[in-house]
Amino acid sequence: MLFVTLATVWGLSFVAIEAGLAHVPPLFFAAVRYALAGVLVLGYAAVTTDRLRPRGRTEWLNVAVVGTFLVGGYHALLYVGQLSVPGPVAAVVVSLSPVLTAVFAAMLLDDSLDAVSAGGFVVGLLGVAIVADLDPSNLFASDILGVGLLLVGAATFALGSVLSTPLRTTLADVSMQGWAMLLGAGVLFAGSLARGEAVATVEWTTTALASLAYLTVASGVIGFLVYFALHERVGPAESNLVGYFQPIVAALGGWLLLGQTVSQTTVLGFLGIFTGFVLVQHELVREQFGGVLVPRQRVARSRVFPRRQVVHWSSLEYRIYRRLRRARIRVCDLSPGRAICENQSSPATGYGHDAD
């Protein structure tokens, strides 16, 4: 239910963005959205977490990376790109982000990228080319340039995810994201000013206000909380698959609310991008869907796992890591040497590579 809820909430956000852009300039629209969402998320963090404010250079650097790349840069390119690209098509192009994340991780974090994964990256790019309907005669058409901006935005999101991997500490995700949203809103306001957007003449129509409310509360706050609740239960690898259900929801939402139709070319391009993801993450896919059967004799006296339960090792590793993280927070709270605790990084698990 969490997975379906998240796919629905985030998939419809592409439709809401397109509806709001008809009335509000793109960067100003995104900036207002994340300024409001940041305040709400920080308010939630103040009530539910032990520590609200980041401490030390590492935690503030993580806020800077997430705020600049994942919030500011990605959404600036997403909103400007959607000026000329329909929401369902934008959702398809953005779904290339997990593929790009694996490539950047291989380049910057020494993760392995074998020949099959490299071929999957090429297939994913071909899927984007199909969606864009590349043709030398219309290379500079507005929709082609819009798809290009969306592709750069997906790469920006992927790069930010990888750069934030070694910067994770014991600071709660909700606190970090709240500060990052406010920083990203500042970046977007600055971009709006540099772009010369006519902010003074904006008319907040009923459609614009409804779109802003949905993007702020439903997609920004509720979607964010559901996302990390899903992380807590199944881990990042499985929860990241929500990105491949968003285009389906966006297509249905665009058809019901805006009367849009999805071409066969867009569907074919999406299948190409999804195939690229499967090839790039072929080892992870085999592990997740293959599973490991726990031997009967090893669980006969165990109260942890029922008999013959299928255990996915990345999920198990993630759950163990979360409990160790909570324990470390408690120890650091009781320890007189708090500075040592603040400078410790998270253990090396599969969590950071896919979390965002």
Side-chain angles (χ1 to χ4, degrees), residues 168-182:
R168 296 185 179 277
T169 63
T170 57
L171 179 67
D173 294 318
V174 65
S175 299
M176 185 274 295
Q177 285 287 350
W179 290 104
M181 286 179 179
L182 293 181

Side-chain angles (χ1 to χ4, degrees), residues 190-208:
S192 175
L193 182 63
R195 195 168 178 263
E197 294 181 343
V199 176
T201 60
V202 172
E203 294 185 5
W204 289 99
T205 63
T206 303
T207 300

Side-chain angles (χ1 to χ4, degrees), residues 17-18 20-27 29 76-87 90 142-143 146-147 149-150 195 197:
I17 291 172
E18 186 174 358
L21 288 178
H23 307 275
V24 187
L27 298 188
F29 190 30
L77 294 163
L78 173 65
Y79 278 58
V80 175
Q82 277 203 240
L83 288 174
S84 58
V85 176
S142 59
D143 54 344
V147 170
L149 290 174
L150 293 170
R195 195 168 178 263
E197 294 181 343

